[in-house]
Amino acid sequence: MYIFAVLLSFLFYFKFGISFSSTGRYIVVPQHVLLGWMYELEDIDRIQCLLACSRKIYCFSVNYNRKSEVCQINKQMRDDATGDFLVNSSYEYMEKVINEDFKEHGIYFMARDDGYEDAAESCSNHLGSIASYEQLYNAFQPSLENCKEGWLLSGEIAFTELTDPCTLKPPEQRSNVFPCKAYQSGAYCYRQYNQSADTFDHLPKTQRIIRLTDSNWKKLNADDAESCCSTKFNGHLATPLDVYNNSLSLGVNLCVYGWLSKMLAGNPCDGHTPPDFWLYPAGNYIRFMPLTNEYLAFCLVPLANQTYIDPFPSHRVVNGRGESRYSLNYYDADALCNSRGGRMATRAEVEYALQLGYDCCQIGWVTSWEAIYPIVEPRDGCYCGGFPSICNAGFNVYASVYCYMP
């Protein structure tokens, strides 16, 4: 009898002296019970309790009462809930065993149709947080079928690249869309073994050009583009040089038509001859467009000590287009230039721009009531004799306009 009592005491000490033991898929900590459990399941055995937890993405541990056959599902685990345990010998506390890859790269996609706030809440409800681009990049495997549009921590939508949608470029070459208004998408969530309270600037680190859109279906007019960039991101619309440097020097895919600084619009990647995008053959690709037109927008989010670059060419001549290619009479053309902070150019100013290499196959008004266009090299539809030369289209009723920007 004495020997039996000693043996029983030894077993009791051994059971409660060990902090935990492994059961393969779960860690059992019998002397502790997590207080913050989510909900109870009754009349199920221990195996059914573990299976119930394994089938739920938000279950990380369970409390199981063998006598009453009660299973308590927990959203937390020991390391995330310091101080939220009590000693209760009626229950076993069991944690899921999370593999090392999941600890480091716990990214999962939630196929939902949410705005940003709802997406962040959905990740939180599944014991995670909305993922950063860096976390998604570290976990990304091309073989996985996870290349779907989804929210990220920065407020951008992953996998909106214009090329292969299933490639994920390094963080410094990201080119996802940042919505300005209502955008509905899935979400990329990140779940850590230990939640971190670290805060970061989750916008691109080296380049600061981001692409803006209005919503899933709409792009932005000029006023909304400028307003969104300045108020939501504390930036300003980028210059053509900003976009070019990011697109071709840093490898960021921004080569689409969009709103630029000073209400200009265009694609600086087309026909470029750096460093002056306004010379041949790029003269046709950046211009004033109707402010009601809707495009993507290029927003420059400044870094410290970043200086603003003059967006206009050295010759200061910019072509302006109306609602269609040739829709402006002389007075409307003059009003357009004034509305953009300039004035109608003289013929001499356009000739000077031509001497510097400005080529624009677009008939436009100048102050002499002429409709002209400067051509550096002849091509189909743009030919009027010796080159370079100013081509005179006569005294048209409707044309575009050449503005001079002081």
Side-chain angles (χ1 to χ4, degrees):
M1 189 69 167
Y2 173 78
I3 295 174
F4 178 79
V6 171
L7 182 59
L8 186 62
S9 300
F10 175 78
L11 290 174
F12 183 87
Y13 173 81
F14 183 78
K15 177 181 178 183
F16 291 102
I18 298 176
S19 60
F20 63 86
S21 60
S22 176
T23 63
R25 287 182 57 99
Y26 287 85
I27 295 173
V28 182
V29 188
Q31 74 271 42
H32 287 106
V33 176
L34 181 62
L35 290 174
W37 49 274
M38 282 186 60
Y39 65 88
E40 271 187 356
L41 301 173
E42 297 182 354
D43 298 325
I44 64 174
D45 61 28
R46 185 174 184 266
I47 299 301
Q48 290 173 326
C49 180
L50 297 180
L51 286 174
C53 180
S54 66
R55 290 168 181 157
K56 298 184 183 298
I57 191 172
Y58 50 77
C59 177
F60 266 24
S61 65
V62 298
N63 306 323
Y64 183 68
N65 188 317
R66 286 176 175 271
K67 182 177 180 180
S68 303
E69 294 188 324
V70 171
C71 177
Q72 295 174 344
I73 300 293
N74 301 322
K75 283 182 62 176
Q76 291 180 296
M77 56 203 313
R78 183 179 60 254
D79 290 348
D80 299 327
T82 304
D84 290 334
F85 282 81
L86 57 80
V87 176
N88 189 331
S89 58
S90 300
Y91 280 85
E92 286 183 334
Y93 169 76
M94 293 170 282
E95 290 182 353
K96 278 185 179 178
V97 176
I98 305 173
N99 63 53
E100 293 298 322
D101 288 337
F102 187 78
K103 289 183 184 180
E104 183 178 358
H105 303 311
I107 297 290
Y108 55 96
F109 177 74
M110 297 190 65
R112 302 178 66 90
D113 196 21
D114 288 338
Y116 179 80
E117 297 298 331
D118 289 339
E121 183 178 356
S122 296
C123 289
S124 177
N125 289 340
H126 288 75
L127 201 63
S129 58
I130 193 164
S132 69
Y133 188 95
E134 289 78 8
Q135 290 164 344
L136 178 62
Y137 179 75
N138 289 335
F140 178 68
Q141 298 178 33
S143 61
L144 299 178
E145 294 183 1
N146 62 349
C147 303
K148 300 175 183 177
E149 285 196 2
W151 286 107
L152 294 173
L153 178 62
S154 55
E156 65 189 301
I157 308 292
F159 297 111
T160 59
E161 286 80 2
L162 304 177
T163 55
D164 182 357
C166 204
T167 59
L168 199 65
K169 289 197 171 187
E172 65 273 12
Q173 295 179 0
R174 67 214 291 177
S175 60
N176 298 310
V177 158
F178 286 76
C180 293
K181 293 184 181 178
Y183 201 108
Q184 303 297 311
S185 180
Y188 283 94
C189 303
Y190 178 65
R191 187 163 54 199
Q192 293 177 295
Y193 186 72
N194 292 311
Q195 291 290 338
S196 172
D198 292 340
T199 57
F200 301 97
D201 176 3
H202 290 287
L203 291 176
K205 305 296 188 297
T206 55
Q207 52 85 18
R208 304 288 279 190
I209 304 290
I210 59 178
R211 287 193 294 138
L212 305 179
T213 190
D214 192 14
S215 66
N216 297 56
W217 307 278
K218 288 185 62 180
K219 298 179 181 178
L220 294 155
N221 63 40
D223 290 335
D224 287 345
E226 189 173 60
S227 175
C228 175
C229 181
S230 61
T231 59
K232 190 169 182 178
F233 299 98
N234 197 29
H236 56 75
L237 293 181
T239 68
L241 185 59
D242 291 329
V243 173
Y244 172 81
N245 283 339
N246 280 264
S247 298
L248 298 176
S249 300
L250 298 179
V252 184
N253 187 4
L254 299 173
C255 296
V256 291
Y257 207 95
W259 287 113
L260 302 162
S261 180
K262 299 295 184 183
M263 303 299 189
L264 295 164
N267 183 348
C269 303
D270 282 350
H272 52 269
T273 49
D276 196 334
F277 301 92
W278 302 88
L279 307 185
Y280 180 78
N284 286 338
Y285 292 98
I286 305 166
R287 63 191 73 173
F288 288 129
M289 293 295 288
L291 301 182
T292 54
N293 283 14
E294 293 184 345
Y295 309 115
L296 292 171
F298 303 112
C299 180
L300 176 65
V301 183
L303 292 166
N305 303 319
Q306 201 166 37
T307 58
Y308 184 79
I309 302 170
D310 181 2
F312 295 117
S314 57
H315 53 73
R316 317 304 294 176
V317 172
V318 180
N319 181 256
R321 286 183 62 175
E323 296 300 327
S324 60
R325 187 175 185 187
Y326 300 126
S327 64
L328 302 173
N329 62 36
Y330 182 87
Y331 300 103
D332 291 338
D334 188 46
L336 172 62
C337 293
N338 292 332
S339 70
R340 303 302 177 90
R343 57 169 174 78
M344 187 182 292
T346 66
R347 182 184 177 105
E349 287 164 345
V350 177
E351 288 176 342
Y352 175 68
L354 173 68
Q355 293 172 14
L356 296 180
Y358 180 53
D359 178 296
C360 186
C361 187
Q362 188 86 229
I363 301 171
W365 292 106
V366 291
T367 55
S368 59
W369 287 78
E370 295 175 278
I372 64 175
Y373 55 103
I375 297 298
V376 172
E377 291 190 13
R379 53 199 182 275
D380 290 344
C382 300
Y383 185 89
C384 61
F387 294 94
S389 63
I390 293 290
C391 304
N392 197 322
F395 296 88
N396 287 20
V397 176
Y398 295 103
S400 180
V401 64
Y402 288 96
C403 300
Y404 183 85
M405 308 306 298

